[in-house]
Amino acid sequence: MRLVFLGGPGAGKGTQAKILNKKLGIPHVSTGDIFRSTIQKGGDDAKLLKSYMDAGKLVPDKVVLKIVASRLQEEDSKNGFILDGFPRTLDQAKGLDEILQQKNLKITGVFYFEINPDVLVDRLVSRRVCENCQAPYNLKSMPPKKDGICDLCGGKLIQRPDDQPDVIRKRFQEYIECTAPLVDYYEKQGLLVRLDASLPTEKVSQIIVELVQEMLPK
Ligand code: AMP
């Protein structure tokens, strides 16, 4: 099962990918998480990645594709994967097609998280993540049991630097200009499945699981 989760910032892709990862046991590949962990480790690319992310700009396609190609070579990707936040441009989508073609593989389905942008801004402003295990929270809809502390690992909850209002605005602009055209790209290929991402997390998760079950080979 090779899935792509597509949608605007804050649409719930990461949350749902983590839930599905637990249910299906296939890896959750989030380019955003990979970049954040590279920045935390302070590797060669850390400064460059941070400069793009802090400004809400997309990381150049070449850099992203190299990282994804290498991630999809790893052993755990053999049985499938959930791509979250990738592809984000038409060139990335075409690059992904090439990576898969080389392995004689195809995308199974693309879940498009549809939601009104006004709701998204509100969600992003109240979003918190665990700085240790990256578990997502929302101060309004999914608060932690103890203020500022991750329920799962006891790590500190932080607000992502790119969840500040001016950066959020830039991220939306990038989404509309570069990522939204992918809806059409995948719809034309008959791969797109539309989801109402404004529904509560548990409901969206239930719908995804049902859809995935229908996609599994009978
Ligand atoms: P995310 O965690 O998916 O919201 O991504 C956070 C930030 O990482 C984005 O605003 C971009 O700066 C960068 N990023 C993540 N994935 C990609 C991608 N596929 N292409 C370009 N930039 C990306």
Side-chain angles (χ1 to χ4, degrees), residues 159-189:
Q159 183 169 32
R160 278 171 42 172
D162 57 349
D163 279 345
Q164 305 296 333
D166 53 332
V167 185
I168 291 175
R169 230 168 289 129
K170 179 66 189 162
R171 288 164 66 201
F172 271 103
Q173 208 180 325
E174 294 279 69
Y175 173 75
I176 289 161
E177 278 171 26
C178 306
T179 313
L182 295 184
V183 172
D184 200 38
Y185 180 77
Y186 286 124
E187 191 142 56
K188 281 191 178 133
Q189 296 178 46

Side-chain angles (χ1 to χ4, degrees), residues 9-10 13 30-33 35-36 49 52-61 64 68 84-89 92 124 127 160 162-163 167 171 174:
K13 305 181 299 294
S30 152
T31 39
D33 283 352
F35 296 157
R36 277 183 287 276
L49 291 173
Y52 283 102
M53 291 173 80
D54 284 358
K57 288 192 198 156
L58 292 184
V59 173
D61 291 337
V64 181
V68 172
D84 156 24
F86 173 89
R88 254 176 158 104
T89 66
Q92 289 181 18
L124 289 172
R127 172 160 78 177
R160 278 171 42 172
D162 57 349
D163 279 345
V167 185
R171 288 164 66 201
E174 294 279 69

Side-chain angles (χ1 to χ4, degrees), residues 129-133 148-157:
V129 288
C130 172
E131 72 173 354
N132 179 42
C133 75
I149 305 289
C150 177
D151 295 349
L152 304 178
C153 73
K156 188 175 153 204
L157 299 188

Side-chain angles (χ1 to χ4, degrees), residues 3 8 31 38 69 72 79 82 102 143 183 190-191 202 206 216 218:
L3 302 173
T31 39
T38 308
L72 298 186
N79 296 325
I82 308 159
Q102 282 162 13
V183 172
L191 288 171
E202 306 74 45
Q206 187 195 333
L216 286 170
K218 306 261 150 43

